[in-house]
DNA sequence: TCCGAACGTTGCTCTGAAACAAACTCCCGG
DNA sequence: CCGGGAGTTTGTTTCAGAGCAACGTTCGGA
């Protein structure tokens, strides 16, 4: 395995208070791997042997019902820790992580988590902070799901993706990873048919532009209105 | 304020590894209060100044949408920590906690959290463990909400309450705190009308018995079937 | 004891979105 | 260059469940 460079971790919240030597230590314990689009990094119910940091790419975190329906719980962007079930004393992962685009991630054995929290100042604090944000985010999705009509939910989902991983382009905000209609419906608990109709309608109204696996929000403000009103 | 007895905390997971003296220390820093049914312990968006432990009673943790709809995110039973936003570096509470029945809770200043985690072995571990369970629970509710039809969702909600706080009685499992139809609909994202119809139908089929603010599951097995199938 | 409010039930209507169906289009590999 | 599969669009049908309305019941307080 080629030696990993320290610049990979510097500046990321969980490691921001550490010096070069400490980051070196941490990297020396890490494994790294590339995942093709569509590959699972870990699966729901499997032993939580590792936790991860996404260096590049995008992930979907997915739960599947006994009936085979699946829904996307959250997305992971570069720089975020994920699969931190071990930190919560879980012995299995509660969800599945799938590469939405070609991705690269570091991984550490679950055993070193307690080492890290004990030895590296700020690591525990920052990790639990992201955990708190994630919890809040999921609660928000839940309330949304329970109270809002389909169109608002879809608008919210698109906005959330645009916020988390949007790139500014001349035409508007472009979502930086491949998204199918099916994926959006898995985020919102509808059917791909309904999502397709909505996106077509929005395209007519000049709010979004979308081709297959690809969405650009041309009029974010109008979409915000749709999501709130 | 009367002096609190050590027996209040002994045996509870976050404190189970501690000795009498340590529990004494912890109790000496605690405040205690009684809350009448319907009172808020803390409110969404307010400064997260304290964290709490429920000694007696039951709580609903609730989120409200800008539109005024509300949904019940989770229930808290005696012995559980709650309002642990401070532990996640949040400066405001992400939800509102309401006493579902007359309740008694201890509280500590948010400032002492880091003390507790540093000084008392097992405290951090156990706290984050419950946090992990809660996260998993919410994810489950979310998938349920997104994929299941109303009847199944209501069945799941009733079962969850029965599991968490059910008392065995000659007639079946009795939910130990007051629940209105409205409450159940707030857990499941439907209307009280639909919940009322479902409970009536189930009563006809001998699956539950319910009076106002009160539900007894007489045939848990049938309800499980409804919730899965 | 009576009143009023909170909680629950039930019937009816109507609509949003799922289900079903059938093409169409893009993309990749042979 | 062609074939096939994955992803998308669009039309039509159907129905669960929300919305509305009206009434019944229980309970606590004056």
């Amino acid at each position: 395995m080629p030696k990993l460079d320290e610049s990979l971790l510097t500046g990321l919240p969980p490691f921001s208070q550490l010096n070069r030597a400490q980051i070196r230590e941490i990297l020396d314990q890490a494994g790294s791997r590339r995942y093709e689009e569509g590959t699972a990094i870990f699966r729901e119910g499997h032993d939580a042997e590792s936790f991860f940091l996404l260096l590049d790419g995008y992930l979907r975190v997915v739960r599947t019902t006994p009936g085979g329906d699946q829904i996307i719980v959250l997305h992971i962007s570069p720089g975020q820790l994920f699969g931190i079930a071990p930190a919560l004393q879980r012995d299995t992962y509660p969800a599945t992580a799938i590469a939405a685009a070609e991705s690269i991630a570091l991984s550490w054995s679950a055993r070193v988590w307690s080492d890290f929290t004990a030895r590296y100042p700020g690591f525990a604090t920052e990790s639990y902070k992201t955990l708190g944000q994630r919890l809040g985010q999921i609660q928000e999705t839940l309330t949304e799901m329970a109270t809002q009509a389909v169109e608002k939910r879809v608008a919210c989902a698109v906005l959330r993706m645009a916020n988390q991983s949007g790139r500014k382009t001349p035409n508007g905000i472009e979502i930086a990873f491949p998204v199918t209609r099916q994926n959006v419906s898995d985020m919102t608990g509808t059917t791909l048919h309904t999502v397709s109709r909505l996106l077509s309608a929005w395209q007519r109204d000049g709010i979004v532009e979308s081709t297959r696996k690809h969405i650009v929000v041309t009029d974010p403000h109008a979409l915000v209105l749709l999501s709130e009103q």
Side-chain angles (χ1 to χ4, degrees), chain A:
Chain A
M1 184 166 321
K3 203 158 181 188
L4 300 161
D5 194 84
E6 287 122 29
S7 65
L8 292 174
L9 298 189
T10 43
L12 298 181
F15 309 109
S16 54
Q17 296 178 30
L18 307 183
N19 60 36
R20 280 182 93 72
Q22 290 173 314
I23 289 185
R24 187 70 263 160
E25 276 173 32
I26 287 176
L27 275 173
D28 285 344
Q29 299 177 64
S32 66
R33 231 198 96 178
R34 222 186 98 263
Y35 301 88
E36 310 233 0
E37 186 175 330
T39 323
I41 289 83
F42 55 80
R43 290 193 173 277
E44 192 170 341
H46 286 198
D47 286 345
E49 294 167 337
S50 311
F51 63 95
F52 303 83
L53 179 97
L54 187 63
L55 287 180
D56 190 48
Y58 288 93
L59 307 184
R60 292 182 233 290
V61 177
V62 164
R63 281 187 75 127
T64 308
T65 65
D69 302 301
Q70 66 167 41
I71 83 127
I72 297 175
V73 176
L74 52 81
H75 283 100
I76 306 288
S77 323
Q80 298 191 301
L81 287 172
F82 66 97
I84 48 181
L88 301 169
Q89 313 297 315
R90 298 196 52 119
D91 46 0
T92 61
Y93 296 107
T96 300
I98 307 262
E102 180 167 350
S103 299
I104 299 174
L106 298 180
S107 65
W108 292 269
S109 162
R111 275 174 286 108
V112 304
W113 178 273
S114 53
D115 263 29
F116 279 23
T117 55
R119 195 190 318 230
Y120 304 117
F123 179 80
T125 308
E126 286 299 327
S127 305
Y128 289 123
K129 189 169 176 175
T130 52
L131 199 67
Q133 288 163 353
R134 235 167 255 183
L135 191 63
Q137 214 176 67
I138 292 183
Q139 283 186 9
E140 195 163 319
T141 314
L142 180 66
T143 42
E144 202 181 286
M145 204 72 109
T147 61
Q148 307 297 69
V150 168
E151 183 168 20
K152 290 187 200 174
R153 299 212 302 269
V154 176
C156 285
V158 172
L159 281 173
R160 220 174 294 128
M161 288 189 287
N163 279 332
Q164 201 192 349
S165 75
R167 284 193 291 240
K168 283 248 172 65
T169 72
N171 296 327
I173 303 170
E174 178 194 354
I175 292 168
F177 53 87
V179 212
T180 66
R181 310 290 185 260
Q182 177 71 60
N183 288 330
V184 178
S185 71
D186 287 344
M187 296 175 67
T188 51
T190 31
T191 60
L192 80 165
H193 306 256
T194 303
V195 173
S196 178
R197 278 178 239 270
L198 282 173
L199 286 180
S200 300
W202 293 347
Q203 185 138 359
R204 264 195 296 285
D205 300 346
I207 299 174
V208 303
E209 255 162 49
S210 68
T211 56
R212 56 170 33 201
K213 292 196 172 201
H214 196 247
I215 300 177
V216 181
V217 182
T218 48
D219 187 349
H221 188 248
L223 202 54
V224 170
L225 280 182
L226 273 178
S227 77
E228 290 178 344
Q229 169 280 354

